Amino acid sequence: MLNTSWRLHSRPSGLVERDHFDVRTEPVPEPAPGHVVVRNIYLMVPASMRIWMDAEDTYLPAQPLGEVMRGITLGVVEHSESERLPVGTHVTGMGGWQEYSVGPERAWTALDPHPDIGLTAYLGVLDLQGLTAYYGLTDVGRPAAGETLVVTAAAGSVGSLVCQIGKKLGLRVIGIAGGPAKCAWLRDSCGVDDAIDYKGEDVAARLDELCPDGIDIAFENVGGPIMDLIIDRINTHARIALCGMVSTYNGNEQTAGRSLMNLVNKRGRIQGFIVRDYMSRRAEFREIVTPWLLDGSLIYREEFSTGLHSTPAAMNRLARGQNTGLQFVRVTSPVD
Ligand SMILES: NC(=O)c1ccc[n+]([C@@H]2O[C@H](COP(=O)([O-])OP(=O)(O)OC[C@H]3O[C@@H](n4cnc5c(N)ncnc54)[C@H](OP(=O)(O)O)[C@@H]3O)[C@@H](O)[C@H]2O)c1
């Protein structure tokens, strides 16, 4: 059995290209006792994957050059030397950009998927993206019904969940996204009170119009000048949940900071957070969110491409705002 893997060969300074990787095909090693061979079916392509490629450590150590590129996968156990994970078990873990991953059973989480929910939900909406949205909003944002929430990258996979959860919690929700189609989807399908197209509208004027009483909570995914426009308009004791700054991920110099004095003026709080800190609450979170998926009151979008060679292009779609949902690469064929 052969494994094709993609190893980071050089670090991108802007968009991600095929030339940044070595592609190797080698035999899959035999698993040691307590280890399994997992065939990776789906590789998730979140925006954060781009910063893992940089030379600086983030919340994870910098991806070492020459090693299989880190990536979150969903797969199936094909060869097992583990009692806990028999052949046929669906698992998630850090399988990386490769067809087969061999490692200890502790590296994998076994899935017990609901029959009416797609498998990929257990990587996205019921896992990293959902946990980020839910605990970033509730634990960091500390919302109270009736408050005004502004969400950036609002039509993205995290942002669109934040918008909908915000509505469930009784907030007035304003989303900021790129283009009229994304804004229409936010209004018509995600139920936001209104949306601002930052590519086609005057964001400052629209924030003044849509948030006449100021902003109580910001869920910040983008950074840059729009973050300053939001901080300019916060209310006393506002909370800014700093989830990410995607506008800086591809080498763009999009800093925010001009407005920070207003945090002083308004006794505002800005707090970064990392979803890994909420993993211990996954079961509690799934109990809350699974019924929302089943009754259709929380929607999410997914996009698929096929083959590991499609991963760099999928990453660049995020940087260009071309994705309309969480992207997955089909690494190998799904099983029934
Ligand atoms: N803290 C954590 O633990 C954690 C966990 C997961 C994700 N995150 C963060 O959550 C954010 C969203 O991630 P995601 O995976 O759900 O991606 P996503 O929102 O589905 O996709 C990224 C979106 O960002 C927008 N964007 C890209 N470049 C931009 C720019 N220069 N200016 C303004 N908007 C830009 C684009 O939407 P438009 O078309 O609207 O521009 C693009 O579709 C990222 O900041 C990510 O790092 C954080």
Side-chain angles (χ1 to χ4, degrees):
M1 198 157 59
L2 294 175
N3 177 37
T4 297
S5 64
W6 283 54
R7 290 160 191 268
L8 191 67
H9 163 73
S10 59
R11 300 191 191 280
S13 56
L15 295 176
V16 182
E17 307 292 347
R18 163 69 183 80
D19 290 351
H20 295 118
F21 300 89
D22 272 337
V23 180
R24 286 193 209 163
T25 299
E26 297 163 318
V28 177
E30 288 294 313
H35 288 218
V36 292
V37 177
V38 173
R39 179 167 63 79
N40 294 319
I41 301 172
Y42 297 108
L43 168 69
M44 182 169 70
V45 187
S48 315
M49 193 147 71
R50 175 62 186 78
I51 55 174
W52 302 345
M53 296 177 174
D54 291 339
E56 299 78 29
D57 291 348
T58 56
Y59 53 92
L60 294 174
Q63 165 74 34
L65 293 180
E67 292 191 8
V68 176
M69 181 60 211
R70 183 184 291 146
I72 302 167
T73 54
L74 186 153
V76 61
V77 175
E78 291 224 328
H79 183 165
S80 178
E81 296 296 333
S82 151
E83 281 185 21
R84 185 175 71 83
L85 298 177
V87 168
T89 310
H90 281 104
V91 293
T92 57
M94 279 286 192
W97 293 29
Q98 58 184 342
E99 293 170 337
Y100 292 91
S101 307
V102 184
E105 59 179 19
R106 68 170 182 280
W108 302 99
T109 302
L111 293 184
D112 181 17
H114 189 288
D116 296 329
I117 295 179
L119 272 182
T120 46
Y122 291 88
L123 275 186
V125 65
L126 282 173
D127 206 67
L128 284 184
Q129 314 292 319
L131 283 158
T132 304
Y134 187 83
Y135 289 111
L137 180 58
T138 58
D139 199 60
V140 183
R142 299 193 192 162
E147 289 188 320
T148 296
L149 164 70
V150 173
V151 183
T152 56
S157 53
V158 170
S160 60
L161 298 175
V162 176
C163 289
Q164 295 172 77
I165 295 167
K167 288 309 300 174
K168 284 180 176 290
L169 298 176
L171 303 175
R172 175 174 165 71
V173 179
I174 306 299
I176 303 180
K182 288 187 179 185
C183 289
W185 179 72
L186 283 169
R187 286 190 205 97
D188 300 343
S189 302
C190 296
V192 298
D193 293 278
D194 219 324
I196 301 173
D197 170 8
Y198 76 90
K199 290 182 175 167
E201 295 184 293
D202 178 338
V203 177
R206 289 284 281 152
L207 282 172
D208 287 339
E209 179 192 339
L210 297 175
C211 309
D213 299 323
I215 296 166
D216 301 298
I217 311 166
F219 195 103
E220 182 53 71
N221 287 315
V222 170
I226 291 175
M227 182 170 163
D228 279 321
L229 295 177
I230 291 170
I231 295 176
D232 285 341
R233 289 162 177 78
I234 58 171
N235 288 330
T236 302
H237 300 309
R239 286 82 64 202
I240 296 167
L242 188 55
C243 177
M245 300 182 83
V246 69
S247 67
T248 67
Y249 292 177
N250 283 274
N252 308 324
E253 293 292 324
Q254 291 263 329
T255 51
R258 170 191 59 70
S259 60
L260 290 182
M261 188 61 199
N262 205 33
L263 286 170
V264 179
N265 300 335
K266 297 291 172 54
R267 297 78 149 174
R269 177 168 58 78
I270 185 164
Q271 184 185 331
F273 68 96
I274 289 295
V275 65
R276 282 154 58 101
D277 298 341
Y278 294 100
M279 284 303 173
S280 60
R281 299 175 74 177
R282 193 192 249 149
E284 167 200 338
F285 159 78
R286 284 185 179 171
E287 288 216 350
I288 297 167
V289 173
T290 301
W292 295 345
L293 298 185
L294 293 171
D295 70 16
S297 66
L298 186 75
I299 61 164
Y300 60 101
R301 299 198 288 196
E302 297 177 334
E303 294 180 336
F304 295 87
S305 61
T306 300
L308 284 168
H309 63 275
S310 68
T311 317
M315 292 188 67
N316 294 339
R317 286 169 58 75
L318 289 162
R320 296 183 176 118
Q322 292 168 331
N323 66 306
T324 53
L326 182 55
Q327 297 182 107
F328 295 96
V329 170
R330 281 191 203 91
V331 180
T332 60
S333 302
V335 284
D336 294 328

